[in-house]
């Protein structure tokens, strides 16, 4: 959430914040605010797909700083979308804005787009460092505030809503949290910061009642919008007549919109009286024709204010103290998730994509820096998401009539599908062409032996505009289902994952276990990416993985993971590591980007992101790769540039080195994985990927209809120079 303009207003007045030396305390951290702040404030790469190794290093330094000051962090993450849909219009606007930003960055102009794997890297690093975290079912602000109130500790975030929440220990804005500038003696290190508490602001306005602050936020407008009557109210207020006695905010030449409201609200001793006056003003302005509606306006404002009404006891405290899952409301869509997936979601091991698809039958696909004249990079990974949706939303045939979970049965009307009527408001314009009636959110859909179609709304880029697509949920061939996941063996779940990726288990056998998912995804990418990835692109991607292996093995205290048969010479490998690192695109060289390469690597990242989500849903049949060391955009683009300049790859990887052997192993495995194990891998037998133009691109061939001859031609073109490289 966020209150429009409130951060600028508060931070412009030093009387509202006080300097603190922060140490020896618990700290509740808004995880999403933290990773956005770390990535953007430190100027990490956006143009080339992200530098996840640099981000992980920065996050680790941040955590070391907390540890040095005896600060115990507790990280709380947002989960899926608000099921009430109150914020959906705001989310769509932001997504549209990020599409435009990505296009600007691709042409060398300013913008800000977070690389799509940053959130997953963030969770992996926290897990590796043993930092306690929880992912909430939806937006986390209210839960964060309740926990901080119960523990009497501050909150670290960038969210202006925390200028409204009444927190006894206050709010530490990330902007003023100088974690890289530790002070004090070794045993008494502290982080210089500034702290906000509501008392300071209310004191400035003559002892204003703190309970009036939520009314101010609602009238100004937050991410849930503002009542249309708020403009009428603000226009009615004459600030020049309000500077009487207790309003210390008076005396400025020009009062801001926020200060105007605060001065006016400070004249009321209670919320009840303020609401009555608001209704009186609006009722008077509306005229006789609309009088009598003031009770409805008061109720609307009061209901909106409850977003800031925090409880003394938090449902998250028991999770952090003993791992007990917070209770789920029976009416919540997530209440229908199996216990194993609820636990995974709380641990951050079930993606918001899966939560949104399950509860809302909707998915927001975040843009990447790519060629906006081509189809979205997410088109290449659509088949993976279709399988994820199928597992989440299709019931097993033998349980369809039993109404497991909610007891609700869903009537399917025709095959074109569409979303049902959601809970809450704000869904105008979302049900065009809808053909599903009486959907209970979060209930797997009864599909009568899979003869009827189920669709998920995907919001993705078309050119530089946001477009809604109806994408069909397709159950995998072996028909694994949500409530059978915990009973299915690891071998069965692995079979489902490899089936969706079109990979034979034998193709992955030579690959180190922690790289098998990445290699399988790369084979899928070779098969599905449009345009076809070039051989230098594939080699650059694999060389980036080799760099990650060498770098992670050379971290202090790292356990070196290498195949036993390989003869190691770590001094030689260290020289290879340095040689690879020197090929990076440096900040001074980032004036332009190879847009074709950026688009192709964005497709690979989308395939990996979707496969990670599916792997999590299947309870991790393959271990997740260490994403921090798997892909670095500036490195991969630099390695591609190096090859285009005529540098042979074997000049970077001498024959007989561990790196050369591993590179050969990975390239051979990718080649084997690129030949689809099952030409028709999804159980419905349909080749259609959603609705409209096949895979969503302009005249692109449909992903499910490719035949082995095309795959042979594709990889022959890709690897045509491999023999001359003698790998």
């Amino acid at each position: 959430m966020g209150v429009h303009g409130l951060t600028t207003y508060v931070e412009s007045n030093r009387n509202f914040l006080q300097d603190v030396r922060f140490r020896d305390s618990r700290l509740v951290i808004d995880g999403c605010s933290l990773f956005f702040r770390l990535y953007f404030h430190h100027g990490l790469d956006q143009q080339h797909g992200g530098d996840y190794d640099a981000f992980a290093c920065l996050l680790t330094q941040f955590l070391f700083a907390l540890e040095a000051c005896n600060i115990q962090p507790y990280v709380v993450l947002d989960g899926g979308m608000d099921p009430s849909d109150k914020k959906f219009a705001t989310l769509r606007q932001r997504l549209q804005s990020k599409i435009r930003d990505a296009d600007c960055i691709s042409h060398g102009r300013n913008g800000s787009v977070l690389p799509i794997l940053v959130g997953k890297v963030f969770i992996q690093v926290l897990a590796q460092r043993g930092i306690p975290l929880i992912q909430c079912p939806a937006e986390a602000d209210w839960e964060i505030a309740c926990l901080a109130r119960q523990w009497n500790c501050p909150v670290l975030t960038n969210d202006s809503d925390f200028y409204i929440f009444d927190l006894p220990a206050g709010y530490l804005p990330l902007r003023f949290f100088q974690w890289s500038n530790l002070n004090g003696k070794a045993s008494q290190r502290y982080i210089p910061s500034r702290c906000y508490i509501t008392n300071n602001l209310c004191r400035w306005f003559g002892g204003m009642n703190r309970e009036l602050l939520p009314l101010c936020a609602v009238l100004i407008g937050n991410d849930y919008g503002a009542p249309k009557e708020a403009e009428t109210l603000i226009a009615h207020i004459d600030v020049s007549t309000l500077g009487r006695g207790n309003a210390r905010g008076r005396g400025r030449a020009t009062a801001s919109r926020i200060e105007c409201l605060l001065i006016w609200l400070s004249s009321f001793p209670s919320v009840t009286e303020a609401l009555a006056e608001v209704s009186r003003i609006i009722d008077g302005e509306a005229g006789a024709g609309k009088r009598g509606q003031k009770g409805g306006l008061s109720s609307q404002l009061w209901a909106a204010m409850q977003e800031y009404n925090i409880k003394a006891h938090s449902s998250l405290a028991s999770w952090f103290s003993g791992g007990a899952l917070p209770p789920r409301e029976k009416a919540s869509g997530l209440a229908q998730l199996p216990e194993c997936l609820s636990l995974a979601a709380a641990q951050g091991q079930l993606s918001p994509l899966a939560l949104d698809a399950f509860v809302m039958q909707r998915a927001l696909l975040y843009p990447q820096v790519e060629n906006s004249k081509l189809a979205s990079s997410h088109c290449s990974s659509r088949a993976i998401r279709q399988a994820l949706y199928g597992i989440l939303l299709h019931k097993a045939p033998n349980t369809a009539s039993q109404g497991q979970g909610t007891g609700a049965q869903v009537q399917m009307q025709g095959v074109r599908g569409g979303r049902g009527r959601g809970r809450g408001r704000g869904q105008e314009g979302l049900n065009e062409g809808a053909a599903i009636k009486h959907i209970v959110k979060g209930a797997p859909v009864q599909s009568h032996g899979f003869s009827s179609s189920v669709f998920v709304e995907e919001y993705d880029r078309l050119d530089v505009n946001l477009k809604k697509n109806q994408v069909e949920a397709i159950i995998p061939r072996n028909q694994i289902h949500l409530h059978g996941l915990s009973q299915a063996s690891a071998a069965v779940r692995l079979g489902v994952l490899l089936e969706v990726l079109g990979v034979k288990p034998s193709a992955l056998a030579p690959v180190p276990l922690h790289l098998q998912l990445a290699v399988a995804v790369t084979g899928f990418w070779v098969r599905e990416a449009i345009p076809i990835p070039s051989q230098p692109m594939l080699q650059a991607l694999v060389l980036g993985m080799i760099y990650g292996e060498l770098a992670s093995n050379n971290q202090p205290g790292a356990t070196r993971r290498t195949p036993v048969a390989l003869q190691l010479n770590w001094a030689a490998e260290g020289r290879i590591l340095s040689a690879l690192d020197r090929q990076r695109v440096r900040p001074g060289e980032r004036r332009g980007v190879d847009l074709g390469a950026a688009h192709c690597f964005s497709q690979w990242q989308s395939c990996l992101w979707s496969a990670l989500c599916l792997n999590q849903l299947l309870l991790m049949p393959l271990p997740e790769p260490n994403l921090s060391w798997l892909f670095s955009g500036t490195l991969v683009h630099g390695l591609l540039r190096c090859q285009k300049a005529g540098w042979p790859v074997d000049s970077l990887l001498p024959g007989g080195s561990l790196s050369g052997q591993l590179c050969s192993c990975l390239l051979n495995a990718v080649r084997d994985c690129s030949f689809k194990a099952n030409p028709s891998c999804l159980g419905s037998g349909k080749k259609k990927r959603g609705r409209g133009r096949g895979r969503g691109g302009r005249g692109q061939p449909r992903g499910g209809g490719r035949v082995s001859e095309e795959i042979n031609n594709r990889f022959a073109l890709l690897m045509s120079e491999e023999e001359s490289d003698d790998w």
Side-chain angles (χ1 to χ4, degrees), residues 563-630:
V564 203
L566 297 176
Q567 298 299 313
L568 307 183
N569 180 343
W570 286 106
E573 301 302 332
R575 290 191 292 273
I576 293 171
L577 177 64
S578 299
L580 292 173
D581 191 58
R582 285 195 295 271
Q583 308 311 316
R584 284 184 184 274
V585 178
R586 303 296 171 183
E589 305 167 340
R590 295 182 192 176
R591 294 190 182 89
V593 63
D594 182 337
L595 204 51
H599 194 87
C600 208
F601 292 139
S602 289
Q603 290 182 86
W604 180 83
Q605 287 210 66
S606 177
C607 292
L608 179 62
W609 174 71
S610 298
L612 288 167
C613 295
L614 178 60
N615 190 49
Q616 288 179 340
L617 178 63
L618 293 169
L619 305 177
M620 304 282 201
L622 282 179
E624 285 191 341
N626 187 338
L627 299 174
S628 308
W629 300 111
L630 192 67

Side-chain angles (χ1 to χ4, degrees), residues 54 86 111 180 211 538 644 671:
K86 290 184 293 185
S180 59
E211 294 179 0
L538 175 61
K644 287 184 174 181
R671 179 195 60 204

Side-chain angles (χ1 to χ4, degrees), residues 430-462:
L430 296 180
N431 291 315
E432 47 215 292
I436 301 178
K437 296 185 178 180
H438 313 304
I439 286 183
V440 178
K441 297 285 182 69
V445 177
Q446 175 182 338
S447 57
H448 307 296
F450 314 115
S451 59
S452 300
S453 298
V454 182
F455 292 90
V456 169
E457 285 180 354
E458 282 193 348
Y459 287 79
D460 195 7
R461 174 186 69 76
L462 179 64

Side-chain angles (χ1 to χ4, degrees), residues 220-259:
I220 294 167
N222 55 25
D223 287 350
Y224 293 144
K228 59 184 179 181
E229 296 87 355
E231 290 296 334
T232 304
L233 174 68
I234 293 169
H236 185 276
I237 295 171
D238 181 5
V239 178
S240 64
T241 66
L242 294 174
R244 304 187 191 117
N246 64 345
R248 290 185 60 192
R250 68 185 183 279
R252 291 188 177 184
T254 308
S256 72
R257 171 191 178 98
I258 294 172
E259 190 169 28

Side-chain angles (χ1 to χ4, degrees), residues 529-541:
I530 295 176
I532 299 171
S534 67
Q535 182 209 8
M537 286 179 184
L538 175 61
Q539 290 177 335
L541 196 56

Side-chain angles (χ1 to χ4, degrees), residues 394-427:
H394 279 291
K395 277 188 177 181
N398 62 343
T399 62
S401 61
Q402 298 173 18
Q404 287 187 354
T406 61
Q409 292 189 359
V410 180
Q411 254 188 326
M412 306 297 298
Q413 306 288 335
V415 297
R416 290 183 60 83
R419 290 190 60 238
R421 302 169 187 165
R423 299 187 302 150
R425 299 180 297 277
Q427 299 193 52

